[in-house]
Amino acid sequence: MTNRFAADKTLGTLAKWLRILGYDTTYEAENSGNLFFDSLEDNRILLTRTKKIQEKFSTRRSVFVRSNFLDEQLKQVVDEIGINRAEIQPFSRCIQCNLIIVEISKDNAYGRVPDYIWETQEAFNQCRQCERIYWPGSHAERSMEKIKLIFNSKSTNSTN
Ligand SMILES: [Zn+2]
């Protein structure tokens, strides 16, 4: 989990999805321009759809994202960076705040999630910043499906 990303302002959905996969991802629209570009100093991989920006930061590792479509964008990043299914930590990070979520007790979640969720779930995590509570089912099953899809259709040139 060493890769970290910085997504330019046109790539909000991609940024959200990298967070779903567990990657620390800053997003330009959430920072002032300077703060965002400062975050690149942190060895982040720049994700951009603008050639000019890529050229401006040509000493940085970057991905020039070609597609308009999320699935293709994700696949491009996964392929170019060489991300393995085994390396991702899906649903470990707050999608909104980009912070690692931490486990809280079931008692702590009481009254703060829908009753049927509290009754049927055992494990709860929370973002310390926005206080949103996550549980295993809180990410739509669709998300799991998409992750499977991205990694199954990954064009590999590995030896096995
Ligand atoms: Zn949060």
PDB file of all heavy atoms in Angstrom, residues 76-90:
ATOM      1  N   GLN A  76      -6.938   1.850 -16.282  1.00  0.00           N
ATOM      2  CA  GLN A  76      -5.675   2.438 -16.752  1.00  0.00           C
ATOM      3  C   GLN A  76      -4.701   2.637 -15.587  1.00  0.00           C
ATOM      4  O   GLN A  76      -3.516   2.307 -15.685  1.00  0.00           O
ATOM      5  CB  GLN A  76      -5.931   3.773 -17.459  1.00  0.00           C
ATOM      6  CG  GLN A  76      -4.653   4.323 -18.109  1.00  0.00           C
ATOM      7  CD  GLN A  76      -4.787   5.764 -18.593  1.00  0.00           C
ATOM      8  OE1 GLN A  76      -5.872   6.348 -18.584  1.00  0.00           O
ATOM      9  NE2 GLN A  76      -3.675   6.322 -19.022  1.00  0.00           N
ATOM     10  N   VAL A  77      -5.223   3.185 -14.470  1.00  0.00           N
ATOM     11  CA  VAL A  77      -4.365   3.410 -13.309  1.00  0.00           C
ATOM     12  C   VAL A  77      -3.839   2.081 -12.762  1.00  0.00           C
ATOM     13  O   VAL A  77      -2.640   1.928 -12.492  1.00  0.00           O
ATOM     14  CB  VAL A  77      -5.119   4.201 -12.209  1.00  0.00           C
ATOM     15  CG1 VAL A  77      -4.311   4.259 -10.925  1.00  0.00           C
ATOM     16  CG2 VAL A  77      -5.432   5.608 -12.706  1.00  0.00           C
ATOM     17  N   VAL A  78      -4.730   1.113 -12.636  1.00  0.00           N
ATOM     18  CA  VAL A  78      -4.336  -0.202 -12.118  1.00  0.00           C
ATOM     19  C   VAL A  78      -3.251  -0.822 -13.015  1.00  0.00           C
ATOM     20  O   VAL A  78      -2.250  -1.351 -12.527  1.00  0.00           O
ATOM     21  CB  VAL A  78      -5.573  -1.127 -12.022  1.00  0.00           C
ATOM     22  CG1 VAL A  78      -5.172  -2.590 -11.869  1.00  0.00           C
ATOM     23  CG2 VAL A  78      -6.451  -0.694 -10.847  1.00  0.00           C
ATOM     24  N   ASP A  79      -3.433  -0.716 -14.314  1.00  0.00           N
ATOM     25  CA  ASP A  79      -2.465  -1.304 -15.250  1.00  0.00           C
ATOM     26  C   ASP A  79      -1.139  -0.553 -15.246  1.00  0.00           C
ATOM     27  O   ASP A  79      -0.076  -1.156 -15.162  1.00  0.00           O
ATOM     28  CB  ASP A  79      -3.032  -1.302 -16.680  1.00  0.00           C
ATOM     29  CG  ASP A  79      -4.073  -2.395 -16.863  1.00  0.00           C
ATOM     30  OD1 ASP A  79      -4.184  -3.257 -15.962  1.00  0.00           O
ATOM     31  OD2 ASP A  79      -4.770  -2.391 -17.888  1.00  0.00           O
ATOM     32  N   GLU A  80      -1.213   0.768 -15.342  1.00  0.00           N
ATOM     33  CA  GLU A  80       0.035   1.545 -15.472  1.00  0.00           C
ATOM     34  C   GLU A  80       0.866   1.531 -14.200  1.00  0.00           C
ATOM     35  O   GLU A  80       2.083   1.540 -14.249  1.00  0.00           O
ATOM     36  CB  GLU A  80      -0.268   3.002 -15.886  1.00  0.00           C
ATOM     37  CG  GLU A  80      -0.538   3.117 -17.372  1.00  0.00           C
ATOM     38  CD  GLU A  80      -0.508   4.568 -17.855  1.00  0.00           C
ATOM     39  OE1 GLU A  80       0.196   5.396 -17.262  1.00  0.00           O
ATOM     40  OE2 GLU A  80      -1.223   4.835 -18.849  1.00  0.00           O
ATOM     41  N   ILE A  81       0.182   1.546 -13.070  1.00  0.00           N
ATOM     42  CA  ILE A  81       0.911   1.552 -11.803  1.00  0.00           C
ATOM     43  C   ILE A  81       1.268   0.127 -11.382  1.00  0.00           C
ATOM     44  O   ILE A  81       2.153  -0.104 -10.586  1.00  0.00           O
ATOM     45  CB  ILE A  81       0.079   2.267 -10.700  1.00  0.00           C
ATOM     46  CG1 ILE A  81      -0.288   3.688 -11.150  1.00  0.00           C
ATOM     47  CG2 ILE A  81       0.821   2.328  -9.377  1.00  0.00           C
ATOM     48  CD1 ILE A  81       0.896   4.572 -11.480  1.00  0.00           C
ATOM     49  N   GLY A  82       0.560  -0.839 -11.953  1.00  0.00           N
ATOM     50  CA  GLY A  82       0.827  -2.232 -11.611  1.00  0.00           C
ATOM     51  C   GLY A  82       0.287  -2.616 -10.260  1.00  0.00           C
ATOM     52  O   GLY A  82       0.987  -3.167  -9.419  1.00  0.00           O
ATOM     53  N   ILE A  83      -0.993  -2.289 -10.042  1.00  0.00           N
ATOM     54  CA  ILE A  83      -1.625  -2.595  -8.758  1.00  0.00           C
ATOM     55  C   ILE A  83      -2.182  -4.011  -8.782  1.00  0.00           C
ATOM     56  O   ILE A  83      -2.868  -4.400  -9.729  1.00  0.00           O
ATOM     57  CB  ILE A  83      -2.767  -1.585  -8.475  1.00  0.00           C
ATOM     58  CG1 ILE A  83      -2.184  -0.176  -8.302  1.00  0.00           C
ATOM     59  CG2 ILE A  83      -3.559  -2.011  -7.249  1.00  0.00           C
ATOM     60  CD1 ILE A  83      -3.246   0.909  -8.212  1.00  0.00           C
ATOM     61  N   ASN A  84      -1.855  -4.773  -7.740  1.00  0.00           N
ATOM     62  CA  ASN A  84      -2.375  -6.139  -7.633  1.00  0.00           C
ATOM     63  C   ASN A  84      -3.592  -6.185  -6.732  1.00  0.00           C
ATOM     64  O   ASN A  84      -3.693  -5.416  -5.787  1.00  0.00           O
ATOM     65  CB  ASN A  84      -1.323  -7.064  -7.018  1.00  0.00           C
ATOM     66  CG  ASN A  84      -0.127  -7.188  -7.925  1.00  0.00           C
ATOM     67  OD1 ASN A  84      -0.274  -7.481  -9.113  1.00  0.00           O
ATOM     68  ND2 ASN A  84       1.051  -6.923  -7.382  1.00  0.00           N
ATOM     69  N   ARG A  85      -4.438  -7.161  -7.010  1.00  0.00           N
ATOM     70  CA  ARG A  85      -5.619  -7.359  -6.168  1.00  0.00           C
ATOM     71  C   ARG A  85      -5.214  -7.554  -4.706  1.00  0.00           C
ATOM     72  O   ARG A  85      -5.881  -7.093  -3.791  1.00  0.00           O
ATOM     73  CB  ARG A  85      -6.411  -8.576  -6.686  1.00  0.00           C
ATOM     74  CG  ARG A  85      -7.621  -8.947  -5.857  1.00  0.00           C
ATOM     75  CD  ARG A  85      -8.712  -7.887  -5.977  1.00  0.00           C
ATOM     76  NE  ARG A  85      -9.878  -8.222  -5.156  1.00  0.00           N
ATOM     77  CZ  ARG A  85      -9.998  -7.914  -3.878  1.00  0.00           C
ATOM     78  NH1 ARG A  85      -9.008  -7.301  -3.237  1.00  0.00           N
ATOM     79  NH2 ARG A  85     -11.093  -8.233  -3.209  1.00  0.00           N
ATOM     80  N   ALA A  86      -4.088  -8.240  -4.499  1.00  0.00           N
ATOM     81  CA  ALA A  86      -3.659  -8.572  -3.136  1.00  0.00           C
ATOM     82  C   ALA A  86      -3.205  -7.347  -2.351  1.00  0.00           C
ATOM     83  O   ALA A  86      -3.174  -7.357  -1.132  1.00  0.00           O
ATOM     84  CB  ALA A  86      -2.528  -9.589  -3.187  1.00  0.00           C
ATOM     85  N   GLU A  87      -2.880  -6.297  -3.066  1.00  0.00           N
ATOM     86  CA  GLU A  87      -2.292  -5.138  -2.404  1.00  0.00           C
ATOM     87  C   GLU A  87      -3.340  -4.126  -1.925  1.00  0.00           C
ATOM     88  O   GLU A  87      -3.090  -3.318  -1.039  1.00  0.00           O
ATOM     89  CB  GLU A  87      -1.271  -4.511  -3.379  1.00  0.00           C
ATOM     90  CG  GLU A  87      -1.275  -3.016  -3.446  1.00  0.00           C
ATOM     91  CD  GLU A  87      -0.354  -2.441  -4.539  1.00  0.00           C
ATOM     92  OE1 GLU A  87       0.093  -3.174  -5.443  1.00  0.00           O
ATOM     93  OE2 GLU A  87      -0.111  -1.238  -4.462  1.00  0.00           O
ATOM     94  N   ILE A  88      -4.520  -4.173  -2.495  1.00  0.00           N
ATOM     95  CA  ILE A  88      -5.522  -3.168  -2.129  1.00  0.00           C
ATOM     96  C   ILE A  88      -6.185  -3.509  -0.793  1.00  0.00           C
ATOM     97  O   ILE A  88      -6.209  -4.666  -0.377  1.00  0.00           O
ATOM     98  CB  ILE A  88      -6.598  -2.998  -3.227  1.00  0.00           C
ATOM     99  CG1 ILE A  88      -7.408  -4.287  -3.418  1.00  0.00           C
ATOM    100  CG2 ILE A  88      -5.966  -2.547  -4.534  1.00  0.00           C
ATOM    101  CD1 ILE A  88      -8.617  -4.106  -4.315  1.00  0.00           C
ATOM    102  N   GLN A  89      -6.673  -2.483  -0.124  1.00  0.00           N
ATOM    103  CA  GLN A  89      -7.390  -2.662   1.142  1.00  0.00           C
ATOM    104  C   GLN A  89      -8.739  -1.966   1.040  1.00  0.00           C
ATOM    105  O   GLN A  89      -8.928  -0.869   1.572  1.00  0.00           O
ATOM    106  CB  GLN A  89      -6.572  -2.096   2.297  1.00  0.00           C
ATOM    107  CG  GLN A  89      -5.328  -2.911   2.576  1.00  0.00           C
ATOM    108  CD  GLN A  89      -4.341  -2.187   3.477  1.00  0.00           C
ATOM    109  OE1 GLN A  89      -4.589  -1.100   3.961  1.00  0.00           O
ATOM    110  NE2 GLN A  89      -3.207  -2.815   3.698  1.00  0.00           N
ATOM    111  N   PRO A  90      -9.657  -2.603   0.315  1.00  0.00           N
ATOM    112  CA  PRO A  90     -10.929  -1.935   0.039  1.00  0.00           C
ATOM    113  C   PRO A  90     -11.661  -1.578   1.329  1.00  0.00           C
ATOM    114  O   PRO A  90     -11.603  -2.311   2.313  1.00  0.00           O
ATOM    115  CB  PRO A  90     -11.730  -2.980  -0.746  1.00  0.00           C
ATOM    116  CG  PRO A  90     -10.740  -3.966  -1.231  1.00  0.00           C
ATOM    117  CD  PRO A  90      -9.631  -3.963  -0.236  1.00  0.00           C
TER     118      PRO A  90
END
